[in-house]
Amino acid sequence: MGNSEVEDYIAALKSSRKFGIQIVCHKSIDPVKAAYAPLPAGVHPGVDRSLKNSGITTLYLHQAKAIECIQQNKDVVVATPTASGKSLVYHIPTLQRYLEEPDSRALYMFPLKALAQDQKRVLSEFYSHVCSGDGDGSTFAAVYDGDTTPHERTKLRKHPTPVIITNPDMVHLSMLPYHDSWSDFFRALKFIVIDEIHTYRGLFGAHMSWILRRLIRVAEHYGTRPVFIMLSATVGNPGQLCSKLIGRDVEVVTENGAPSGKKHMILLNPWDSAAHTTTQLLEAALKRGLRTIVYTKSRKMTELIAMWTRSRVGALAEKLSSYRAGFLPEDRRKIEKRLASGELLAVISTSALELGIDIGDLDLCILVGYPGSIMATWQRSGRVGRRSSESAVIMVGGEDALDQHFMRNPDDFFTREPEHAPLNPFNSKISGQHLHCAAAELSIARKEPLVSSSE
C-alpha cells in the first residue's frame, strides 16, 4: 500500500463536513532512518547463511548492542518500539550457541499462546535456513503449554528440543516442581528469554519475579547460570523492572536503530458514539483498500463493530474479521494467517492482538477510546507503519473522563512518557507462598539469598 492512499484518507477525513470539525488534533511524526551495525564478530557460518537467506546482511544498532552484551554473558533488556526486530536479539545467540554446542538449550517465555506459536514458526524457519533446506526446522523448537498433549509433554521431558517455548504458568506448575524430570534440560540451559516484560507488573509481576528466582535456583542446582534476554516495546523503567524481576543487574538497550515511516496521529472527539463513528471510519478505510486494525475495550464492542461494518460494506465483508479471547486456538491462528498474508483487510480486536504477534504490514490503526495508558497506546499504535511505510493512528474519544481530558488537552497526551511499571517482589503474602514452593522443589538453607531477601 503506497503512501498516497493514507494521505488521501487523512485529507478526505479532514475535509469532510461531518468529521473534519470533530478532529481536535492532527500531528505528524516524521520518519526516522535506520541506524545499522555490522553482524557480530565470530558469527557461525550457519547463522550467517540463515540471516542472508532471510534477506538480512546487517543488524540494527540496538540488535548489535544487545547481542554484544549477550556474548559477554550479561543479562540484557531491550526496550525499543514495536516492529523493531527484537526477536533477532535472542534468535541469533540461541542458534549461534546451539551450532557451537549442540547440547545447549534455551527457554523462551511468552505471556500469550499466540505469541509462542508465532515465535515457534519464526524460529523454525530461521533454523531451516541453516540446514539449506535439507533439515526440518520444526525439530529445533517446541511449544510446551496447556495445549500440548500428554504424549508430547513426556517426549519433551525425556528429549527436550534445543528451544522450549512456554509461559510462566507452565514453568511454575509443570517444570519447577518436577525439575528432576527436566534435569538434562536444566544442565544445558544457556538462555532464558522473556518477551513483553511490561506485562509483568503489579501483583502479576511479583508472582513472576518469584517464579524466575525459583527458576534461577533450580538451574544453579544443576550447575548452570543462564543469561536472561528480556524485551519490551514500551515501558518507562525497563532496567529497574527487569532487575526486580530477576534480582540481578541488567544491561539496558533503549536506543532504537530501526527505521519508521511518517505517522499521522489524529484525536477525534465524535458527535455520535465512539463505536458508531469507528464503524464509519472503518467502512471508508475498507473501501480505499487500507489494511486496518481496530482496538476496542471489550469483546462485546468488538463483535458489534464487526457486525455493523459488515452490514455497510457489501462484498468487502469477507475481508473483515473480529479477534478476541474466547475464539478456538485454530480459529485465532487462521485469522492471524489471513491478516499476515493480506487476505484480510481489517480486523477488530480486543487487547488480544496488542502484543507482538506478526500480523504483517498495516496502514491504519483506530483506537476506540483511550486504551488506559500511554504504554498501551504506543504499543497498539506500533502495529502500523512497519518497514518505513506511511501510516495513521486515529484515537476516537469515548465518554470516559480521561478520554475527554485528552480530547480537550491533546498536548498533555503527546507530551506524556510511557508509564513506569510498578513491581514489589517482596510482598509478604506472595513471597511466603513461593517460599513454600521453593522448599518443595529443593531444601532451603537459612543463609540462602532467596530467604534473606524476603525477610
Side-chain angles (χ1 to χ4, degrees):
M1 183 61 60
N3 293 347
S4 60
E5 287 85 354
V6 173
E7 290 180 342
D8 289 347
Y9 179 85
I10 297 299
L13 184 64
K14 294 181 70 175
S15 63
S16 167
R17 288 194 296 176
K18 179 177 180 180
F19 290 111
I21 197 171
Q22 299 177 46
I23 295 175
V24 298
C25 183
H26 174 205
K27 286 186 178 290
S28 295
I29 301 175
D30 293 333
V32 177
K33 293 183 179 181
Y36 293 107
L39 295 176
V43 65
H44 191 280
V47 176
D48 184 57
R49 181 168 62 250
S50 183
L51 289 169
K52 289 179 178 177
N53 288 340
S54 301
I56 300 170
T57 55
T58 58
L59 298 178
Y60 296 136
L61 186 63
H62 63 277
Q63 294 172 330
K65 285 185 176 181
I67 291 172
E68 182 180 354
C69 292
I70 296 165
Q71 288 177 328
Q72 297 170 5
N73 292 321
K74 295 179 180 178
D75 300 316
V76 65
V77 55
V78 182
T80 55
T82 303
S84 56
K86 292 187 290 292
S87 60
L88 281 181
V89 169
Y90 49 89
H91 288 335
I92 290 176
T94 298
L95 184 55
Q96 174 86 14
R97 181 63 64 88
Y98 173 73
L99 293 174
E100 294 173 345
E101 304 174 26
D103 292 334
S104 69
R105 296 293 180 262
L107 182 68
Y108 287 15
M109 275 188 273
F110 299 97
L112 297 177
K113 291 180 181 179
L115 273 173
Q117 293 291 340
D118 185 59
Q119 286 303 309
K120 179 192 175 185
R121 176 187 59 79
V122 172
L123 186 55
S124 296
E125 290 177 359
F126 193 52
Y127 176 69
S128 67
H129 293 314
V130 175
C131 307
S132 300
D134 299 326
D136 182 5
S138 63
T139 62
F140 186 65
V143 173
Y144 185 79
D145 62 18
D147 295 333
T148 307
T149 65
H151 171 72
E152 285 298 320
R153 293 188 189 194
T154 301
K155 183 179 177 181
L156 286 174
R157 284 194 294 269
K158 292 181 178 179
H159 306 287
T161 53
V163 178
I164 297 290
I165 304 174
T166 187
N167 56 61
D169 286 341
M170 293 300 290
V171 173
H172 168 63
L173 295 171
S174 190
M175 295 185 75
L176 294 179
Y178 309 100
H179 58 82
D180 53 337
S181 299
W182 291 91
S183 57
D184 290 343
F185 179 76
F186 283 116
R187 287 191 182 97
L189 185 59
K190 303 299 181 183
F191 300 111
I192 298 175
V193 175
I194 309 174
D195 202 0
E196 309 293 351
I197 58 105
H198 62 278
T199 61
Y200 304 115
R201 56 187 187 271
L203 290 176
F204 183 35
H207 280 291
M208 180 64 170
S209 71
W210 276 96
I211 290 172
L212 295 178
R213 282 167 168 77
R214 289 161 49 204
L215 178 58
I216 291 170
R217 184 169 178 263
V218 167
E220 289 178 345
H221 174 73
Y222 290 100
T224 58
R225 189 184 188 279
V227 173
F228 278 86
I229 307 171
M230 295 168 282
L231 308 105
S232 178
T234 44
V235 66
N237 59 333
Q240 180 191 56
L241 175 62
C242 290
S243 292
K244 288 184 176 181
L245 277 172
I246 66 173
R248 304 196 315 214
D249 291 335
V250 176
E251 296 291 324
V252 181
V253 177
T254 56
E255 185 180 356
N256 180 30
S260 59
K262 182 179 181 181
K263 182 171 289 186
H264 300 272
M265 296 289 298
I266 292 177
L267 304 188
L268 189 150
N269 201 13
W271 295 342
D272 298 322
S273 69
H276 182 67
T277 300
T278 298
T279 300
Q280 295 174 294
L281 295 174
L282 179 56
E283 176 190 3
L286 281 168
K287 290 179 177 178
R288 288 179 178 271
L290 293 176
R291 302 193 63 217
T292 305
I293 185 166
V294 177
Y295 283 106
T296 71
K297 294 183 179 180
S298 69
R299 299 182 187 183
K300 179 180 178 181
M301 189 59 65
T302 295
E303 294 299 342
L304 284 174
I305 292 175
M307 180 178 66
W308 294 337
T309 307
R310 286 193 187 101
S311 68
R312 303 171 65 103
V313 296
L316 287 173
E318 296 181 358
K319 298 283 188 179
L320 173 70
S321 176
S322 57
Y323 185 102
R324 56 175 176 78
F327 284 7
L328 293 174
E330 53 267 30
D331 291 335
R332 291 199 299 269
R333 300 296 92 75
K334 182 178 179 181
I335 295 169
E336 293 159 13
K337 184 177 180 180
R338 292 179 66 203
L339 189 60
S341 68
E343 183 181 347
L344 280 179
L345 270 180
V347 64
I348 303 100
S349 176
T350 58
S351 59
L353 269 179
E354 179 180 311
L355 302 182
I357 305 164
D358 185 5
I359 52 176
D361 297 331
L362 303 177
D363 305 302
L364 175 64
C365 173
I366 303 176
L367 305 174
V368 188
Y370 175 60
S373 68
I374 298 296
M375 185 165 56
T377 301
W378 291 116
Q379 180 87 9
R380 298 178 185 187
S381 301
R383 283 308 200 165
V384 298
R386 300 186 175 200
R387 296 182 179 88
S388 302
S389 59
E390 189 167 354
S391 62
V393 178
I394 303 174
M395 187 166 79
V396 182
E399 297 178 356
D400 184 273
L402 193 52
D403 286 42
Q404 290 304 307
H405 168 77
F406 286 132
M407 290 296 149
R408 295 186 175 93
N409 303 276
D411 288 342
D412 185 21
F413 171 79
F414 285 105
T415 56
R416 290 196 177 212
E417 295 293 326
E419 296 83 2
H420 284 216
L423 174 61
N424 175 20
F426 303 119
N427 177 299
S428 59
K429 186 173 183 179
I430 291 174
S431 62
Q433 293 170 342
H434 283 275
L435 281 172
H436 279 90
C437 295
E441 291 155 8
L442 295 167
S443 298
I444 298 179
R446 179 67 183 177
K447 294 183 180 181
E448 270 196 62
L450 188 73
V451 177
S452 59
S453 62
S454 65
E455 292 180 333

